[in-house]
Amino acid sequence: MVTILSVFATALTAALLTHELSQKKNWGTIRSSSFLTLAFALVTSLFHYKLSYKLQLVFLGGSFVGMSDPKKLNRYQISTASAFFSFIFLYFISFLKGFGGALGLSAFLSCLSVNLITHTGRKTRQVLRKRRKLPA
C-alpha cells in the first residue's frame, strides 16, 4: 500500500506546481497539468519503484486539484483540497471503478468541499456579526 505521507506530499506538490505554472507563468491549466504529469511519470518510471504507478495516479489527481480557478480557490484552499483529495484517494478510491473518472470525481469533490466550508464559514461570520449589532 502506498504510504500516507507520500500520497499527501505528491498530491500537494502536484496541486501547487500546477497552480503556480498556470497562474504565475501563464502556461494555462491544461498545459501545466499535462507537462507536470508527463514529467513526473517519466521520472518515476526511471526508478522502477514498485509504487510508482499509484503515485503517478496521485500526481494526476493532485494536478486536477491545482487546475482550479484562482477566483474560487486560493493557494491555501488548494493545499487543503489536495489533502482532502489524498484522503479520498487513500480510503475511497477503491469503491469507484475506473481510475480516470474516479480521479476527476475525487478532485472535484475535494475542491467542492473546501469551497463549501469556506463559504459556510464566511456566511456564519456575517450572520454572527449582524446579530451582535442588533439591540438586545
Side-chain angles (χ1 to χ4, degrees):
M1 183 166 162
V2 180
T3 62
I4 295 171
L5 184 60
S6 63
V7 169
F8 277 89
T10 303
L12 179 65
T13 303
L16 291 178
L17 283 176
T18 302
H19 181 73
E20 287 298 314
L21 277 181
S22 66
Q23 298 307 313
K24 305 290 189 228
K25 301 295 183 188
N26 293 325
W27 277 30
T29 56
I30 296 172
R31 187 179 298 150
S32 60
S33 174
S34 60
F35 171 75
L36 289 171
T37 303
L38 181 62
F40 184 80
L42 289 174
V43 168
T44 54
S45 64
L46 292 175
F47 294 117
H48 300 293
Y49 183 54
K50 66 179 182 176
L51 300 174
S52 63
Y53 176 69
K54 295 277 187 183
L55 290 179
Q56 290 170 359
L57 293 174
V58 171
F59 194 91
L60 178 62
S63 181
F64 286 164
V65 172
M67 292 172 73
S68 299
D69 185 14
K71 295 175 186 171
K72 301 289 183 191
L73 296 177
N74 61 29
R75 296 172 86 197
Y76 302 110
Q77 293 167 327
I78 287 176
S79 301
T80 307
S82 70
F84 281 8
F85 171 78
S86 300
F87 179 78
I88 291 170
F89 183 84
L90 286 170
Y91 297 107
F92 298 113
I93 202 82
S94 61
F95 297 114
L96 302 172
K97 302 294 182 205
F99 276 116
L103 291 176
L105 178 65
S106 301
F108 169 73
L109 290 176
S110 63
C111 292
L112 179 68
S113 301
V114 170
N115 201 1
L116 286 174
I117 290 169
T118 302
H119 286 293
T120 303
R122 286 181 189 154
K123 294 294 182 185
T124 303
R125 277 183 270 157
Q126 289 174 355
V127 168
L128 291 175
R129 285 182 189 144
K130 285 181 182 179
R131 285 186 181 174
R132 289 180 190 156
K133 291 180 181 178
L134 293 176

